[in-house]
Structures are given as C-alpha cells and as structure tokens.
Amino acid sequence: MTTPIPAVARPGDPPAATLLRIRIALFLAGFATFSLLYSVQPLLPEFARTFQVGAAASSLPLSLATGALALAIFCAGAVSENLGRRGLMFCSIALAAVLNAVAAWLPHWGSLVVVRTLSGLALGGVPAVAMVYLAEEVPATRLGAATGLYVAGNAFGGMSGRIAMSVLTDHFGWRAALSALSVVDLLCAFGFVLLLPPSRHFVRRHGINLRFHLRAWGGHLRDRHLPWLFSLPFLLMGCFVSVYNYAGFRLGGPEFGLSQSQIGLIFGAYVFGIVSSSVAGAASDRFGRGPVVQAGVVCAIAGVLLTLAHLLPLVILGVVLLTIGFFVAHSAASAWVGRLGGEHRSHAASLYLLAYYMGASVIGSVSGSFWQVGGWNALIAFCLALLLVAWFAAHVLRRGARDERPAQVPARAQPTASRGA
C-alpha cells in the first residue's frame, strides 16, 4: 500500500509554464486558506468588547474553526476521490470566504461562532487535496519546490491575515476589516481556479466505499514508517503554536513591558518562514527529505533555547529561528507524504494534516498549563521535549531507506493512485 513512488520524470510531464501556473495557483490557495482561518486572531479583544464575552469565549471563532478544519481534512481526501481535486479546492475557498464575510456583519455572538465554525469546515477541502494534487501532477524532481511554495503561501496568508486585520481594524473597525479580507480571498479563489490546470492523472471513483477508506487509513497507521511521519506535524506544530501563543504573555509582562502593537509585530517572523519553506522544498529534492527535516528541527531547537534569554533582541532572534526551523521541517515533511503515501496518497495526506491541526489544538492547549505552573522555563522545557522526539522520528524515517533522492532512482512506475477501489 505504501510503496514509494519512484521519482524519474514521466513521459508527458507538464511543461515549465504549466508547472509555474500550478505553483502560483497553489500559493494563492494556501494564502486564502490561512488568511481566512487566522484572520480573527487579532480580533479576540474586539469580540470581547463588542459581544461582552470573556477572553476564553472570545477565542471560539478561531478554536472551533480550527477544530472543524481538522475534522474536515480527515475526510476531504477521500471525498476528492469522488468529486475531483480542482473543483473541490475552489468551492472550499469560495464558500469559506463568503461565510467569513457573512460572519463579519452578524449581530449575535452565537451566530458568529456558528458561521465561523462552518467556514473552518469548508476550508478542509483545501490542505489535504492540495498535497495530493501536487503529488499526482508535478514530477517528483519538482515536487519539493512546488510543495515549498504552497507552504510559503500558507505562511504568507497566516501572517497577512493577522497583521492586515490589526491595521485595518484600527482604521475602519473589525467588521469592515473582516469583510475586506474575505473579498480579497474570494478573488484569490477565482485566480486559483483560472490558473490551476485540470488534473491529468486523476481518475474519478464513483460512490463512497467506506470500507475502502477505512482500509486505506488503517493500512497507513499499521505501516512501519508512516506513523512516524504523522507524528512530525503533531509535534512541530504543537511546539510552534505553543511558543507563539504564550510569547505575548511574557513580552507584555513586567520583564519586557511591550505594548500589544509591538507584540503583534512578532508575526512578521512569518516572512522568514515564507522564504525558508521555498528553499527547503528545493533542498529536499536535492538532498532528500530526512536531512532537511532534521536540519529544520535543529534550527527550531536553537530558537526555543534562545527565547530563554533575558535580552529582547535574543528572544526575537529565537522566535525567528523557531519559525525558520518549523517551516523548513514542515515543508520537507509535507513533500514526504507524496513519496510515502503510495497508491492511497489522499488518505495519507488527510492523516498528516489531521495530526498537524490536532497538534495546534491539543498541544497548544496543554502547553498553557506548563506556562501557568512553571512560567517560560517550563514551557520551553516542554517544547524541547517535543522537538527531540520530532528529530528522532525524522531519524527513523531516514533510516527506513525510503527517502532516496530522485537522481538515485533508476526508473519511474506509473502511479496507481487513480485506480479504482
């Protein structure tokens, strides 16, 4: 089931211009998805004041949308086997953008939370399917670079959604700001569908065979190596979100005394993630996935250690290094899914991304107890433990002899992901 897909170019692979269109289209998809998802994060204080809810309740439009996205991702890959990749991704982005715009003008708190949750559910059609589309349509020698640019779009969208919302809210109010961002993302959806070529290596499956999907997921979980791959996004995203969640508490506290606007600039570190993910994707094509993932984890470890310093420039440098390391490791690991997923790539991608968002949800929440009990030192000790396990997981995968570089593989077999159940 999980036999790796060899990496020598196939006859009839798309020309360079088509590959460029694919990369730009998937960049737009990543940008729209993550700007929509995280656009409400800077608005939590505004929600608390407008709707007279507590700080914990004000996070529901973000946390429930993220949870719904995680659940939707688990099934989106399977659904795409019936509906197709391109159309499902377009409908997901467009519907989520419309729902986000509607949520901006709802007068009642409960209705806003419900619509935001539905928006997160709609977005689940993008992340898992995007990686499957890339694995099917992009030659393996270019897969790392294409995946890297898609992850860069994720980073740029996450950063833009946060920073743009903060600036626009100061000038026009949060409702107008959320509507404006939703319109931009709707335009991204149309740009995406106009640029992305139709699938050439996809064959539609008719009907939903639940037993087939359960067998595919179960096969991946019983594989010797894939559970280690799925642990990577859970651990890496959990550490990354934990540091970003609670850095504001420390930086705004008596030790540094930064204002909320100054703390908000920390999201600018995502710029380094945008660059590093693109570079890491190309590097993984050349050197293999394992070495690049391990290098990213080591960089992240150096970053979290630097945040223990009591000098603000060193703390900021630590956050930057953590961001670089996270996006390097995540970009290379994402490309690994297409290599190791075998004929059921979409199911492997859904499990990978389920782990990714569950890491953000579960570890991002659990790590708060470390902050409350032991402060920043306890939080960083917890994050270091996560990163060490992630490095070991990458080591196990690398030793599994299934991360050969493309140039080392003598021939390419025709992929079997499009065969019927």
Side-chain angles (χ1 to χ4, degrees), residues 80-228:
S80 73
E81 299 288 346
N82 303 94
L83 301 181
R85 320 293 192 201
R86 181 170 172 261
L88 179 60
M89 286 189 282
F90 167 72
C91 291
S92 295
I93 301 170
L95 179 58
V98 171
L99 289 171
N100 213 49
V102 170
W105 299 101
L106 292 173
H108 302 296
W109 176 244
S111 58
L112 187 150
V113 171
V114 169
V115 173
R116 273 288 303 177
T117 303
L118 293 175
S119 177
L121 191 66
L123 284 173
V126 181
V129 180
M131 289 200 297
V132 177
Y133 178 93
L134 288 172
E136 288 178 341
E137 305 300 325
V138 176
T141 52
R142 307 288 185 87
L143 180 59
T147 304
L149 191 61
Y150 168 65
V151 175
N154 297 348
F156 188 59
M159 179 187 71
S160 301
R162 292 171 171 103
I163 296 178
M165 286 301 299
S166 299
V167 175
L168 291 173
T169 299
D170 285 341
H171 290 86
F172 305 106
W174 69 267
R175 293 185 185 275
L178 197 59
S179 297
L181 186 67
S182 300
V183 171
V184 170
D185 288 324
L186 186 59
L187 293 175
C188 286
F190 284 104
F192 160 82
V193 77
L194 290 174
L195 283 171
L196 191 70
S199 299
R200 303 196 318 163
H201 301 284
F202 167 75
V203 176
R204 191 184 309 274
R205 288 190 174 101
H206 297 287
I208 296 178
N209 187 334
L210 182 58
R211 180 178 297 178
F212 162 75
H213 295 305
L214 291 176
R215 188 167 59 246
W217 283 318
H220 288 322
L221 293 175
R222 291 190 300 270
D223 185 84
R224 290 180 55 196
H225 301 289
L226 281 172
W228 290 104

